[in-house]
Amino acid sequence: MRKIILTVFAASSLLLYSTQAFALFNLSFGVPLSHSFSDSNVAESDGVSGYFIQVGVPLLPGLGMDSYETKLKCDGCEAKLSTTMYNLYYQLPIPIVNLTLGLGAGKTQHYWGGVGGDDGAATQFYANVGIPILPLFDIHLSYRSISSKIESTSGSDKGTEYDYGGSVMGLGIGFNF
């Protein structure tokens, strides 16, 4: 009986210790893997690069920042979309799985041939699901749903509003102590 109690205590201690639910501070870093647009007539992704950062303490909303660039498929031209978001998130105190939900706001800017063009407001909601890999670390997959519209201010399409909304998938690592 003593062995069973000791085994249950050791297993539950390891389980609780390995989750962010009982961490005093968490720091997360991630990178975008893919960016897809809701309207493929407006834009198609040709690769994405950048980062996601989150910093938080238990029971309070954490702060985060996303900054990434998406190369756009374009025949004979160079085009990209630059997105910057500032986030508030909350990490749910769930043992075994680290679940984070967040909201963000920022801007999206369209570049043609390296020259900045039009920009527009952007908002997002996101979720991270993390699996502890060591007592202080987790690896997580994130999904971001983005709303962004940019109104053209020049050329023949002046005044036309383009929908650059879509989704971004990312992979990251979290550190909890």
Side-chain angles (χ1 to χ4, degrees):
M1 182 68 169
R2 183 187 243 186
K3 240 180 176 178
I4 292 173
I5 292 172
L6 190 58
T7 304
V8 169
F9 176 74
S12 63
S13 295
L14 181 61
L15 175 69
L16 293 176
Y17 178 68
S18 67
T19 67
Q20 291 181 342
F22 301 98
L24 297 175
F25 180 77
N26 65 62
L27 176 65
S28 171
F29 180 77
V31 294
L33 298 175
S34 68
H35 188 173
S36 59
F37 296 96
S38 305
D39 187 354
S40 61
N41 293 327
V42 171
E44 282 189 64
S45 175
D46 194 22
V48 62
S49 63
Y51 61 87
F52 310 134
I53 296 175
Q54 294 184 160
V55 177
V57 294
L59 304 177
L60 296 174
L63 300 174
M65 181 183 169
D66 301 352
S67 180
Y68 53 90
E69 289 187 351
T70 305
K71 286 178 54 179
L72 303 177
K73 288 184 182 176
C74 182
D75 293 333
C77 65
E78 183 182 325
K80 66 181 176 178
L81 197 64
S82 177
T83 304
T84 303
M85 296 276 197
Y86 298 97
N87 306 308
L88 285 176
Y89 73 91
Y90 184 72
Q91 187 149 13
L92 300 174
I94 302 172
I96 302 174
V97 173
N98 299 325
L99 180 61
T100 302
L101 302 175
L103 297 169
K107 75 174 193 173
T108 301
Q109 187 167 14
H110 196 240
Y111 289 88
W112 289 99
V115 177
D118 302 323
D119 63 3
T123 58
Q124 73 177 356
F125 71 86
Y126 67 95
N128 290 344
V129 177
I131 304 294
I133 53 175
L134 292 173
L136 298 177
F137 293 93
D138 81 357
I139 188 164
H140 53 266
L141 183 65
S142 67
Y143 172 82
R144 285 160 164 73
S145 178
I146 301 162
S147 296
S148 177
K149 296 188 187 236
I150 297 177
E151 185 176 331
S152 178
T153 58
S154 61
S156 62
D157 60 348
K158 184 175 182 175
T160 304
E161 189 172 75
Y162 294 100
D163 183 4
Y164 285 99
S167 61
V168 174
M169 296 291 290
L171 185 65
I173 187 162
F175 179 67
N176 316 293
F177 56 95

